[in-house]
Each structure stands twice: as C-alpha cells, then as structure tokens.
Amino acid sequence: MSYFKNTLVLLGLSVITGTAGAATASTDALIAKGEYLTKAADCVACHTTKQGKAFAGGVEFELPFGSLFSPNITPDVDTGIGAWTDDDFVSAMQEGVGRDGKHYYPAFPYTSYTLMPKDEILAIKAYLFSLAPVKQAPIENSLSFPFNQRWGMFFWNALFLDNQRYAPDSTRSVEWNRGAYLVQGPGHCGECHTPRTLFQSLDSDQQLAGAPIQGWQAYNISSDPVHGIGAWSTDDLTQYMAKGYASGYGFAGGPMADVVKHSLSQLTPEDQKAIAVYLKSTPAQTTGVARAVTDDLSVRAVVANDLGSKIFAEACAACHRWDGEGNQSPAAKLAGLKTVNDPSAANLLGVLLNGHMNPGAPVDRRMPNFATGYNDQELAAVSSFVLKQFGQSGAVVTPEAVAERRKVKSH
C-alpha cells in the first residue's frame, strides 16, 4: 500500500511539475513577445535618459509652451507602474488615460499605440513587469496655463483619437499589412515624420511628409522619389533599418540613430522588409528637403583659400572626399544626401556638434563631434562649404545659427 501511495504521489508531482513547466514556458513566451514589441515601439528611447537606468523615465520633451518629462515605467510600486492593473495599462496605451483617470499628453504616442490589440499590449506589460523595479520619482512637467490642465485632454481625445485597432486591408498582401501595422501602430513613425496642426494633432493631409523634432529634421519618408524615399530600393530601406545608413541616400543621426539602435535594427529581416514595402506604397508627399543632385559634383570648383574648404580639407576630406563619394566606408558618402541639401542645415549642424558615435557600430561608421574643437565661425564656414559643394540650396550658415544650434539639448 505504501508503495502504491508513493507511486501516486510521484505521479501527482510529475503532473504538477509538467503543468508548472508548461506555465513557465507560456510565461517566457509572453515575455519574449513583449520584449520584441517593446523594441518595435522603441519604449526605451523615450523612457531612458543618457546616464539613467532603462525605462526609469526623466527624458525631457521641450514644447513651445513648456516641458514634459517621461514617467518611470519600471515595475516599482511607488514610483513606477508596479501597482497598475492590466486594464490600467491597456487604457493608457489605447486611450491615453492611465491609472486613476490620469490623462496623458500626445507626446506619448497613444494615438498610434491605440491600433495595437489588447493581447500585444499586455505582452509589453508582462515584459516590463519582468524587469527589476527602479525607484525613481517622476519629474513634474513644467507647462504654462492652460496646457497644464490635463482635463483638457478629454476634449482633445474626443476630436483626435479614433481608439480603434488596426484593421487589415484585404486587398493587400500579408507583408504589406504587417508593414502598415508596424509603421502606423507600435513603430509610430508618423509621430515624428508627420507635421502637426495648431492643436498638436498629426496633419492627416501631410502624412509622413517630414517635420522638425528636437532641433533635427525628420525627413519626408513618403513614396515621393525626390522628397521622400521613392528612389530608394527595398534593399536600401532594409539596410538603413538594419545598419543605420544607405549609401548615397541617408544615414541615421540624432533621434533617428536611437530609433535604429534600439528599435529598427532589433526587428527581424522580415519585419524590416515589410516596413519598406509599406513605405514605398504610401501616398507621395512633395514637400520638405529634396535629395541632392550628384551629376556635377566631380567638376565643381573648390575655393582653396576659403575658410570652409580649408577646414573640410583638414577634418573631413580624408573620410568623405572632395567629390563626396566617401573613403573606407559607404557610410561616409555625402553625395545624394538630403543632409547636404537642407538650407536650414539642421541635421548637418546636429552631426557636427553631436557626432555620430554609436558604440555598437563599426569604427568606419562613427563620426566624432567637432563642438569643442571648432568655434561657431569655423563650423558655420565648413557647413556653408558642404552645402555649396554637395547640395543645390545655395544656403549660407551663419555663426549665429551655429550658436543657436548649440543650445539644443540632445537626449
């Protein structure tokens, strides 16, 4: 009898162990799914300061009427989201209304995340709750009246939030629909690449037409071949997402470099291609910075005694060459880039002042910053030279413009 009982106990334990093992595997799969979606949504970029702990918040977003600071989304009960229920989290992502009815501002892209189904949102929550909690109190926003009145977001949501999940287009392929979902939903590409109206909603007539962000220019990524990415091949676009550059078309700098590092490069090749397929099908927007024409670069004269050309010879030509074709690495090619054809020189100055030093990138894809080595007059001179030598805008950058650009905070 004892043997029989022991056998039952052992059998019972084996069943329990098997059930527990299956539950653990299911939880692990949910967390892994949530981690992937968290990367697709690039949550870390907005919720992690340069020297801070991941997802602990504190990133500042400067607006014309004050500053917003991202909250702590680690599972700390007191300062993070550790006390949030599933419904709290889903409401925040789909409706912009968090725990205790707190309304969020559209700097948090819930107007895009609302396209995500509940199960995927809860997968993100499962991943965030699997992380170590960080006790870091959120920084109070500093918005002027009436923008500091959160209740006003109730009316904003009534006007500009659809609160609907993504509905596949049956006339399109599975790949196209996957790309459309990633771009419009978790990827929220339009939040940076679409101009905003007076009410800070996305301009539906100018989808993906480009917009300024944090002192940089998020370029037109519609299908237009001159102002957008229509001239890029699908392979060019997928390489840009995977490596941060497409030779002769563009490189990721500033906020976009973070998007590539933390989000786009972490996606599967299939998802990267799906995004490319969708972007190349979007309505063409004929506004913004045009690609530079490269036909006559080789015959352009170089003014040897010009300050800008001297600095270019000293600091730039070895990597970029006088014809802009680039040495050592295709990532160094300047010819054809929008950056050298933008009369505002927003991204050009951003790269000169901040560099492009992603530690994970090969050394031939990194660029040091020149903020301390050169003064405003020198940087204005070399920027003007680059715009004239490789672009067609004819723009001149002033020392005052460089000084103003230095003031822009980089996340």
Side-chain angles (χ1 to χ4, degrees), residues 139-153:
I139 301 173
E140 290 296 323
N141 297 328
S142 55
L143 299 177
S144 59
F145 183 83
F147 303 102
N148 59 352
Q149 303 300 303
R150 287 183 179 270
W151 57 265
M153 292 308 301

Side-chain angles (χ1 to χ4, degrees), residues 93-96 109-116 153-167 184 191 201-202 204 207:
M93 294 283 280
Q94 291 183 345
E95 301 173 33
Y110 62 87
T111 51
S112 294
Y113 294 156
T114 191
L115 294 176
M116 300 179 68
M153 292 308 301
F154 172 85
F155 300 101
W156 191 94
N157 286 343
L159 291 171
F160 303 115
L161 175 66
D162 290 334
N163 192 14
Q164 294 180 348
R165 281 8 103 212
Y166 177 76
Q184 297 173 25
E191 300 287 341
S201 63
L202 298 182
S204 59
Q207 292 181 22

Side-chain angles (χ1 to χ4, degrees), residues 1-12:
M1 181 66 70
S2 175
Y3 174 80
F4 180 69
K5 287 182 179 180
N6 288 340
T7 302
L8 287 178
V9 169
L10 288 172
L11 286 173

Side-chain angles (χ1 to χ4, degrees), residues 17-261:
T17 301
T19 303
T24 300
S26 177
T27 300
D28 289 346
L30 181 65
I31 290 173
K33 178 181 179 181
E35 181 179 13
Y36 185 81
L37 288 166
T38 300
K39 290 176 180 177
D42 200 17
C43 303
V44 71
C46 290
H47 291 275
T48 309
T49 59
K50 275 190 174 180
Q51 306 302 323
K53 295 184 178 180
F55 303 108
V59 176
E60 182 179 7
F61 297 88
E62 293 183 281
L63 304 171
F65 38 83
S67 290
L68 294 171
F69 294 88
S70 63
N72 181 342
I73 58 170
T74 73
D76 182 69
V77 173
D78 298 320
T79 64
I81 60 171
W84 286 38
T85 66
D86 286 356
D87 288 342
D88 290 336
F89 195 78
V90 172
S91 175
M93 294 283 280
Q94 291 183 345
E95 301 173 33
V97 182
R99 195 164 184 252
D100 299 325
K102 182 178 181 179
H103 281 78
Y104 290 102
Y105 294 99
F108 170 51
Y110 62 87
T111 51
S112 294
Y113 294 156
T114 191
L115 294 176
M116 300 179 68
K118 183 176 181 179
D119 66 302
E120 293 202 345
I121 290 174
L122 291 181
I124 290 177
K125 179 176 179 285
Y127 168 67
L128 293 176
F129 272 57
S130 75
L131 304 176
V134 177
K135 189 170 291 297
Q136 178 172 301
I139 301 173
E140 290 296 323
N141 297 328
S142 55
L143 299 177
S144 59
F145 183 83
F147 303 102
N148 59 352
Q149 303 300 303
R150 287 183 179 270
W151 57 265
M153 292 308 301
F154 172 85
F155 300 101
W156 191 94
N157 286 343
L159 291 171
F160 303 115
L161 175 66
D162 290 334
N163 192 14
Q164 294 180 348
R165 281 8 103 212
Y166 177 76
D169 184 342
S170 61
T171 67
R172 298 282 192 166
S173 68
V174 172
E175 181 178 54
W176 184 95
N177 275 289
R178 177 64 175 171
Y181 170 68
L182 289 169
V183 168
Q184 297 173 25
H188 62 278
C189 304
E191 300 287 341
C192 291
H193 289 274
T194 298
R196 292 185 180 271
T197 68
L198 178 65
F199 300 101
Q200 294 301 299
S201 63
L202 298 182
D203 187 342
S204 59
D205 294 328
Q206 294 288 307
Q207 292 181 22
L208 306 180
I213 176 171
Q214 301 169 28
W216 297 76
Q217 184 68 27
Y219 291 133
N220 183 331
I221 56 170
S222 75
S223 65
D224 185 73
V226 176
H227 299 87
I229 48 81
W232 300 42
S233 69
T234 301
D235 287 343
D236 291 328
L237 284 166
T238 53
Q239 174 171 295
Y240 180 90
M241 286 181 263
K243 298 182 178 180
Y245 77 94
S247 186
Y249 290 101
F251 70 94
M256 193 64 205
D258 288 335
V259 173
V260 169
K261 177 183 177 182

